[in-house]
Amino acid sequence: MLTRYVFRPMTCALLGCTMSVGAAQAQLSNDVVKIGVLTDLGGTYAAATGPGSVVAVKMAVEDFGSKVLGKPIEVIAGDHQGKPDIGVALARRWIDVDKVDAIADVPGSNVALAVQHLTREKNIALLISGSGTTELIGKSCSPTTVLYVFDTYSLAKTSAKAAVDALGKSFFFITLDSAFGTAIESSLTKLITEAGGKVIGTVKHPVGMLDFSSMVLQAQSSMADVVVLANGAGDASNALKTASEYGVKQNVMAMIFLDTDVHAAGLNVAKGLVVPTPFYRSRTETSAAWSRRYFERMGTMPNFSHAGAYSYTLNYLKAIEAAGTDDSLAVVARMKQTPIDDMFAKGQIRADGKFVFDQYLVRVKSPAESQGPWDYFKLIETVPGDIANPPLEQGGCPLAGGQAASVSR
């Protein structure tokens, strides 16, 4: 599935942006900047990323003024169907035929890793909001990749100590059988152990699982204090619904559970669920105002992938303008040099491509606590970015050099 959007000149009033005086000397390939949103438009991750990510990218392009360095910005969108081979084939066609300058979103870590190999080879920017394996910023890191929104280490670090302190000492994992699931379980197990807890069981499942009955029964019979859903999107929602149907009394913690997941499950099912998140809509009035704008477009509140897609698109375009070129090595280098402070987060992109910023631990409200539709999360704790994010020196990225793992706050 392929969708194409071409944006014509619009006002910069929302941002007060100005076009480069040297636009005539700018070096833009093919006199256009093209962004390809490679996403899941109809599968397991469609609600978490999909059409919402496309809309978020469109909003950023419109807010920027629909042109950069005097040239139009074009957005194309395609469905990788959760399959690395389809994702790579589509990305290759975009790069070789459509002359795409950046590929964005890419939910599913297996797809993202496969596409990253291609974008590194082709010198194409890869802006990731839909995947979180730390392999992307480890030994497989690329000078043109930015892991912008979440990663398995940050999700685990944000939730581990609080879980052991407040939820229990023993844990049972229901884990997605993927690079993401394996990495989040490994990271969280290590951190739980360091915090004085222990993992007493685990079971893995494929993406798009519908019947979690046997897995929930295993978790229930384990007598673990906490059941961890080390998956995301529809998988986490289906597992939680099954746990509710079976009357599971243990505490349940989900590594990814979005506003749309709570909305679909209902507060009676999701109440009390503890979730780490890189985006908290009430963080600032700017965050809340942007979320309301997104709601007007989509009819649902944005999750962290959608907010991140807007933010990195805007900052990518700013970097093109500052660098005077759409060459991906130059543009991503400029993104790393420039502190970010916007509706999504405040921080900076490290040498390995990881955007470092504060993370949040939230709890799903009960029906009595909620003040209305989409008022679902209560902030428990804010974890500083330099603590929550994976240590730069431990990742094995050859780009890291001696750069310290710091963040501007």
Side-chain angles (χ1 to χ4, degrees):
M1 180 176 181
L2 182 65
T3 308
R4 185 179 298 269
Y5 306 91
V6 180
F7 298 95
R8 301 305 178 192
M10 294 182 64
T11 179
C12 281
L14 286 171
L15 297 177
C17 59
T18 59
M19 296 304 154
S20 170
V21 174
Q25 288 76 42
Q27 298 178 5
L28 291 185
S29 56
N30 306 299
D31 288 330
V32 62
V33 170
K34 291 187 179 182
I35 302 171
V37 185
L38 185 61
T39 189
D40 179 352
L41 292 172
T44 301
Y45 301 117
T49 58
S53 293
V54 178
V55 166
V57 171
K58 287 178 60 178
M59 288 174 66
V61 171
E62 292 167 2
D63 287 355
F64 192 78
S66 302
K67 289 181 116 180
V68 60
L69 297 175
K71 302 298 181 180
I73 304 164
E74 183 176 345
V75 177
I76 60 177
D79 189 351
H80 63 48
Q81 301 176 40
K83 299 176 181 179
D85 57 339
I86 293 177
V88 169
L90 185 52
R92 187 180 298 278
R93 191 181 82 209
W94 281 355
I95 295 167
D96 293 342
V97 178
D98 295 317
K99 306 303 179 184
V100 159
D101 299 292
I103 292 176
D105 200 22
V106 203
S109 292
N110 293 343
V111 180
L113 285 166
V115 171
Q116 180 177 241
H117 181 78
L118 176 65
T119 55
R120 179 172 53 240
E121 172 191 327
K122 298 284 190 177
N123 185 29
I124 296 296
L126 180 61
L127 310 173
I128 299 177
S129 53
S131 302
T133 176
T134 52
E135 289 183 50
L136 292 161
I137 54 169
K139 294 180 180 179
S140 299
C141 70
S142 165
T144 60
T145 293
V146 179
L147 184 58
Y148 201 87
V149 176
F150 71 99
D151 66 87
T152 52
Y153 181 97
S154 298
L155 294 176
K157 185 72 172 181
T158 302
S159 54
K161 188 176 185 302
V164 172
D165 288 347
L167 300 182
K169 302 298 184 183
S170 59
F171 296 75
F172 187 97
F173 281 85
I174 296 177
T175 302
L176 178 65
D177 189 8
S178 71
F180 168 81
T182 299
I184 192 70
E185 181 181 314
S186 176
S187 295
L188 191 52
T189 296
K190 182 177 184 293
L191 293 167
I192 285 172
T193 302
E194 290 174 352
K198 62 179 180 179
V199 175
I200 62 175
T202 181
V203 61
K204 294 184 181 294
H205 69 86
V207 67
M209 189 81 171
L210 296 177
D211 185 1
F212 280 88
S213 300
S214 64
M215 297 177 184
V216 166
L217 287 172
Q218 288 181 61
Q220 193 174 36
S221 63
S222 74
M223 302 300 290
D225 297 326
V226 185
V227 177
V228 181
L229 304 180
N231 46 24
D235 290 323
S237 183
N238 288 335
L240 184 65
K241 289 176 183 177
T242 303
S244 177
E245 291 167 2
Y246 278 81
V248 169
K249 302 300 183 184
Q250 293 130 303
N251 288 311
V252 181
M253 181 171 67
M255 289 299 96
I256 296 180
F257 208 82
L258 310 173
D259 302 67
T260 47
D261 296 322
V262 178
H263 195 74
L267 289 177
N268 282 322
V269 171
K271 63 183 178 183
L273 185 68
V274 176
V275 187
T277 181
F279 178 62
Y280 183 55
R281 283 190 281 108
S282 300
R283 180 179 70 89
T284 66
E285 177 51 38
T286 302
S287 305
W290 180 84
S291 298
R292 290 192 292 270
R293 287 181 54 213
Y294 177 93
F295 183 84
E296 291 172 0
R297 298 281 285 264
M298 289 295 292
T300 64
M301 280 295 179
N303 60 50
F304 54 70
S305 289
H306 303 142
Y310 175 91
S311 177
Y312 64 56
T313 301
L314 204 57
N315 285 292
Y316 170 72
L317 295 172
K318 289 178 180 179
I320 290 176
E321 189 170 66
T325 178
D326 58 5
D327 175 75
S328 292
L329 284 172
V331 174
V332 174
R334 179 71 64 163
M335 291 179 74
K336 292 177 180 178
Q337 295 168 8
T338 309
I340 293 169
D341 186 1
D342 62 12
M343 39 60 70
F344 176 65
K346 181 179 181 180
Q348 191 153 2
I349 300 168
R350 297 190 314 204
D352 61 352
K354 181 69 179 73
F355 182 26
V356 177
F357 56 95
D358 294 351
Q359 305 286 307
Y360 309 95
L361 189 68
V362 298
R363 185 189 296 273
V364 178
K365 294 180 177 181
S366 68
E369 292 175 304
S370 175
Q371 297 182 9
W374 302 102
D375 177 31
Y376 296 148
F377 293 112
K378 178 180 180 180
L379 181 64
I380 298 174
E381 186 175 358
T382 300
V383 182
D386 49 2
I387 294 175
N389 283 268
L392 180 65
E393 66 277 7
Q394 294 180 13
C397 173
L399 302 171
Q403 180 181 332
S406 62
V407 58
S408 300
R409 287 203 287 273

